[in-house]
Amino acid sequence: MSESPPSSVEKSVEKHWLARLRADYRREGARCVVRHDHEGPLRLLKSLYPEGDAICHSVLVHPPSGLVGGDTLDIGITLDECAHALITTPGATRFYRSPTGALAAQRLHARLGEGARLEWLPLEAIAYPGCEALNEVRFELAPGAELLAWDITALGLPGADQPYATGRFQQHLEIPGVWLERGLLDATDALLMDGDLGLAGHRCLGTLVFASGAAILRERREQALDAVRALIEADPLRATAGATAAQDGVLVVRALGPVVEPVSLLLRRCWAAWRRVLWGLDGTTPRLWAL
């Protein structure tokens, strides 16, 4: 988070990016495979299978690495019955300053078929000072489908002495008909940014969600919450983190921190714990995260 935007960020309004990606995951025998197409600078790298054929790991790449006002990333993902995909990114998504006040948007719409599992684990979104940004995700879950997803947002560049003093970052997290969160992180809203009932001076916020297309059995739900609460209690962020059941089909971990690293580390540990408790899988860390 210490670098400044590259000079290419200063694009004229005539050169906005409009990028689309469609990815479809399905089971072919014992193997989960993906077929995809793209328009503009947004694509998937080759499929990886570090856990065997049943789980397809994909790396989502946006070569320009950032968005300015007027840019749009439009991502559509479908998982057929019993497919399992883990999707991550090689770096942060950067929402740069919008000199014209135009909105930069990243939108994800994912549909999960019966028995499908999706792990949506992008690295953090960075809101640069002066950005006008929207980060919107929607997940539709069929009965028996399950989701592990997180959202990590960093405000400003404290390492480069560029505080989030101006700008607006809109968040939209939704499971239609089940769970909806909308927020506007306006840098000029002092009560939100620094108040005790707001961010209390923290500049990174993270949310980890486990969701099911049906109610989660009480014993399973309590085991999952106990596992992450134990991790939170032992973490340096224990005073600004917590876990709850938003409803019978949605579990949520939240964390606030001064910078990305401690928030990201805690959510990774909680993700690994939920993987073990809820799915009986190892918390296999994607190799990309170690680069």
Side-chain angles (χ1 to χ4, degrees):
M1 290 180 56
S2 62
E3 74 273 22
S4 296
S7 59
S8 60
V9 169
E10 301 299 331
K11 299 182 292 182
S12 68
V13 294
E14 291 82 12
K15 295 183 179 179
H16 297 313
W17 295 119
L18 173 59
R20 295 188 177 93
L21 174 76
R22 297 293 179 265
D24 299 305
Y25 294 83
R26 65 185 61 206
R27 289 290 293 266
E28 293 187 354
R31 191 174 180 86
C32 179
V33 299
V34 58
R35 292 177 173 82
H36 58 94
D37 59 74
H38 70 272
E39 173 186 342
L42 187 63
R43 61 201 66 193
L44 289 183
L45 296 184
K46 69 177 183 178
S47 301
L48 305 171
Y49 294 90
E51 301 180 81
D53 288 348
I55 305 175
C56 182
H57 288 223
S58 294
V59 181
L60 178 63
V61 177
H62 178 230
S65 77
L67 297 87
V68 296
D71 290 352
T72 298
L73 302 183
D74 181 12
I75 305 163
I77 298 170
T78 59
L79 281 79
D80 282 355
E81 183 177 349
C82 295
H84 187 163
L86 185 155
I87 304 173
T88 188
T89 60
T93 299
R94 295 168 172 81
F95 290 89
Y96 294 128
R97 180 178 66 88
S98 177
T100 66
L103 186 70
Q106 176 175 263
R107 295 184 171 93
L108 166 73
H109 189 181
R111 298 179 178 90
L112 283 64
E114 292 188 11
R117 291 176 175 175
L118 172 63
E119 299 177 74
W120 174 251
L121 306 170
L123 297 189
E124 68 273 9
I126 302 176
Y128 277 65
C131 71
E132 288 288 338
L134 168 66
N135 190 20
E136 178 180 285
V137 294
R138 286 186 172 89
F139 302 101
E140 296 182 22
L141 281 65
E146 294 188 335
L147 167 75
L148 269 170
W150 67 34
D151 179 272
I152 303 171
T153 301
L155 303 172
L157 296 156
D161 196 26
Q162 297 182 41
Y164 186 65
T166 61
R168 300 195 307 170
F169 191 95
Q170 302 176 52
Q171 292 180 312
H172 182 113
L173 311 175
E174 181 178 4
I175 302 172
V178 177
W179 185 61
L180 173 63
E181 290 195 353
R182 289 175 178 157
L184 176 61
L185 300 171
D186 187 336
T188 63
D189 186 339
L191 285 177
L192 172 64
M193 299 301 295
D194 298 314
D196 290 341
L197 298 181
L199 301 184
H202 294 288
R203 291 299 180 262
C204 183
L205 55 158
T207 300
L208 172 67
V209 176
F210 175 82
S212 174
I216 305 167
L217 295 177
R218 180 173 181 177
E219 181 179 359
R220 188 177 182 227
R221 184 172 69 240
E222 293 303 318
Q223 287 177 343
L225 290 173
D226 287 346
V228 294
R229 285 169 177 163
L231 292 172
I232 291 168
E233 183 59 30
D235 194 88
L237 295 182
R238 59 185 173 274
T240 55
T244 189
Q247 55 149 282
D248 288 347
V250 180
L251 308 179
V252 181
V253 171
R254 301 189 191 280
L256 286 174
V259 292
V260 166
E261 288 76 11
V263 173
S264 177
L265 183 58
L266 175 58
L267 292 196
R268 291 182 188 189
R269 288 171 175 163
C270 291
W271 159 77
W274 274 354
R275 238 180 168 245
R276 288 190 297 269
V277 171
L278 293 164
W279 291 346
L281 296 174
D282 290 337
T284 301
T285 301
R287 298 174 192 170
L288 198 67
W289 293 353
L291 299 179

